[in-house]
Amino acid sequence: MATVHSDQRSATAALAEAPVLAPGHSYGSITDKISSIVLTKGTSRGWLFGLAISFMLVQVFLVSVVYLIARGVGIWGINVPVGWGFAIVIFVWWVGIGHAGTLISAVLLLLNQSWRTSINRFAEAMTLFAVVCAGMYPLLHLGRIWLFYWLMPIPNTMGIWPQFRSPLLWDVFAVSTYMTVSFLFWYTGLIPDLATLRDRAQNRFGKVTYGILSFGWRGSARHWRRFDAAYLLLAGIATPLVVSVHTVVGFDFAMSIIPGWHNTLFPPYFVAGAIYSGFAMVLTLAIPLRAAYGLQDFITDRHLENMAKVMLATSLMVSYGYVMEVFFGFYSANTYEEYLTRNRMVGPYAPAFWSLILCNVLTPQLLWFRAIRLSPVLLWCIAIVANIGMWLERFVIVITSLHRDFLPSSWGMFYPTFWDWSTYIGTIGVFFFLLFLFIRFLPVISIFEMRELLHKSEEEHHHD
Amino acid sequence: MPQIFHPSMNTISRASIFGAAFILAGVGGFIWLIFRSSYTTQVGVVRPQPVEFSHEHHVSGLGIDCRYCHTSVETSSFAGIPPTATCMTCHSQIWTDSPKLEVVRASYRTGESIPWTRVHDLPDFAYFDHSIHVAKGVGCVSCHGRVDEMPLMWRAKTLHMEWCVDCHRNPEPHIRPRDKVFSMEPLPAPPAPERDAEPGASNVAIDLMQAHQIASETNCSVCHH
């Protein structure tokens, strides 16, 4: 696409010390390696084991949902001061995780970052599955789930419409649009790869299935020209979308009058947190994935390092958010804001707050060191800590702001019940169940973009 | 390499794309129908009753005023279904051996109420008030239809909230003089639009709105408290 200027070439060469694609690959070897994950006969024991475990967790989820609908939301630990419990905490957590996928696939595409190529596909899949998990919570936490369609502006016999001033309604539009656009973006990128799988499938069933899914892609110049335009446009649409979606999620809190929620910092701070937790989840998945399927040539140390750097950068933004929250808590000279800040630090949920600081502020500081960034094991551990930390962040924001606010007579505590946990663990099962199916039936790395990457690096070699 | 798909797939794929539009339209239309059809709204559906009471006979045939039986309609939120005693004011003397009235006589003997089937049954979260509508000049016929022509009772209107709200937003076409509330006569045709433009011309509907001091009330507390 863009021609490499001579002054940029030295910078590119410096970066090339850890390449985004290990040397020695041809178009054929890239295609073989990635498509073999899908097209091998028989399934590996590890995959079957993972699928079985996640399938059992899906059952846990289904049981929790059926029991929830049968008995009502009172089976959860929510009460009158804390009306939003795990359902919202975990909704925000899952939505946040989803955002890194869009960031990798859309923002890095707009910024012409070649290292996105080998991680964008499964990051997008991760987005999609995380949004599936997230999207269930706004429905499940309704007391009357069967009336959820009242949230949509559908002409109806009641002559009434949803309230367009509520951020919870914006959530409906934000999440459903986000899910649709993420799916379209992911699927558009899949079409050339599905055509590759169609051409390489050994049996008729595979040929027909991937043939139907690839819509008769022939890879002509006209196809590619339009494909590139559409892909770039979708990236352009997805980028403001990812920012606005988590902003809207931040508005759920920031639009309220609750101390600890009514905070103008929330929209950017939530987005930064989303990117932080999302990249943590990408690392959580990418490190085992490349080990299990031997993808070290494609997901190189350079990728891990870059993702670690993004994590570090966003962790600093999130830390800035924590500092500002505390600062404005006292600078406001507002009794309630001051009390909220103090309550978070020394109140009944202080352990959650301090663990959050440990997970999101202190631990990521290790990422300043190159040796740690390059160690997959340590990086994976830090990513897990970040996932926990971002879970705690949402817990602290939702619960500590609600359980003690203006009137001491309405102070309470929130204790999650068995069903809070089972629903949460169940959605993790749903996520991994979909992810395992994705790994087995669709290419986890974009084949055509890897071939393009190879083409570009070969061209650069010729110039040298 | 042999072709995977037969050339007929071209037709199938085209049809599946255009067909999807029809399927979606069909599903949407079907849902619309379910919500609006008389299957759901019961409009025009005759409900079986324990006694074959004919409004047509008692109102058109005998000229009994609505309030003779539905006594509380002007004073209470509930118009009331007449007790057996009301029936027996006449039927202790008339048709005393008709088998059609055996349920009524049995009710009178035993004191058990007649289990009428309610045709206009609003959900209990909507607090409808008859007396206010009667006082503001809404005729029986506007909501219940030509009851004087109904051998057995049926719903004339959907009772959808949309239907209530439409009238509350624009009551003028449905308001009549108070002395015509219990008349089954349809309202006179709405005034021609040019009459509004004529200076000094009296608009009957607007005059009634002012005389009855009708405010267009559409907030939730009006009906849902």
Side-chain angles (χ1 to χ4, degrees), chain B residues 52 61 78 129 178 221:
Chain B
E52 287 179 350
F78 190 61
D129 190 327
R178 286 203 181 102
S221 351

Side-chain angles (χ1 to χ4, degrees), chain A residues 156-158 160 204 208, chain B residues 4-5 36 160-162 169:
Chain A
N156 56 59
T157 61
M158 299 178 289
I160 51 172
R204 180 145 179 87
V208 170
Chain B
I4 303 172
F5 298 104
R36 310 249 172 201
H160 280 157
M161 179 168 150
E162 180 188 54
R169 285 191 182 130

Side-chain angles (χ1 to χ4, degrees), chain A residues 192-212:
Chain A
D193 279 5
L194 290 167
T196 302
L197 292 179
R198 169 199 65 197
D199 297 341
R200 293 186 148 240
Q202 295 302 311
N203 55 41
R204 180 145 179 87
F205 178 75
K207 280 181 210 250
V208 170
T209 310
Y210 291 118
I212 290 173

Side-chain angles (χ1 to χ4, degrees), chain A residues 236-250:
Chain A
I237 292 169
T239 304
L241 192 62
V242 71
V243 174
S244 63
V245 166
H246 218 67
T247 295
V248 166
V249 172

Side-chain angles (χ1 to χ4, degrees), chain A residues 167-187:
Chain A
L168 301 180
L169 186 73
W170 308 342
D171 264 348
V172 175
F173 295 115
V175 175
S176 56
T177 310
Y178 187 53
M179 192 186 263
T180 313
V181 171
S182 301
F183 177 77
L184 285 178
F185 196 34
W186 180 69
Y187 198 87

Side-chain angles (χ1 to χ4, degrees), chain A residues 269-289:
Chain A
Y269 153 64
F270 264 55
V271 175
I275 298 165
Y276 173 64
S277 69
F279 268 87
M281 191 53 121
V282 174
L283 280 171
T284 311
L285 302 176
I287 292 169
L289 188 74

